[in-house]
Amino acid sequence: MSETVTYLIKFCGMFFIILLLIFLLAVITPKLASRIDRLISKIVKPKPERVDDNIYKVKSIYDMPEKAENYEKNNDENGELKDGKE
């Protein structure tokens, strides 16, 4: 094999290894964060008042965002607010 092909194969191999590491970090990080959150919640006593924790949940980059409950009621067919208020 020529030297150019050898360098091309090494470059492509390193490139795919880097992409694989980025993918694994993107998949593992949310799972690791949720385990740490559970561990911290066991150590620190939860507050007696109920707080909406939906905004604080750990989500993966592959999770679809939840659709707002009142989206259709407050927005027209173009997605703009009907009354002009946020």
Side-chain angles (χ1 to χ4, degrees):
M1 245 190 281
S2 70
E3 192 174 334
T4 307
V5 174
T6 306
Y7 285 131
L8 181 64
I9 291 172
K10 286 181 183 180
F11 176 76
C12 289
M14 288 187 289
F15 179 74
F16 285 119
I17 287 173
I18 290 171
L19 286 179
L20 179 65
L21 288 173
I22 291 171
F23 175 76
L24 288 175
L25 284 174
V27 170
I28 292 173
T29 303
K31 293 179 182 180
L32 183 62
S34 66
R35 287 184 183 166
I36 291 172
D37 283 343
R38 275 189 262 133
L39 178 67
I40 289 174
S41 68
K42 288 179 183 177
I43 294 172
V44 178
K45 293 182 181 179
K47 296 178 183 176
E49 58 194 45
R50 295 294 283 166
V51 179
D52 185 20
D53 292 332
N54 289 334
I55 59 173
Y56 300 113
K57 288 186 178 178
V58 177
K59 297 180 181 175
S60 173
I61 60 173
Y62 302 108
D63 291 342
M64 294 295 295
E66 296 176 4
K67 195 168 187 178
E69 296 173 2
N70 299 328
Y71 182 79
E72 288 85 13
K73 186 171 73 174
N74 293 332
N75 297 324
D76 62 6
E77 62 274 352
N78 295 328
E80 297 180 6
L81 294 172
K82 290 181 182 176
D83 58 1
K85 298 178 184 176
E86 289 191 26

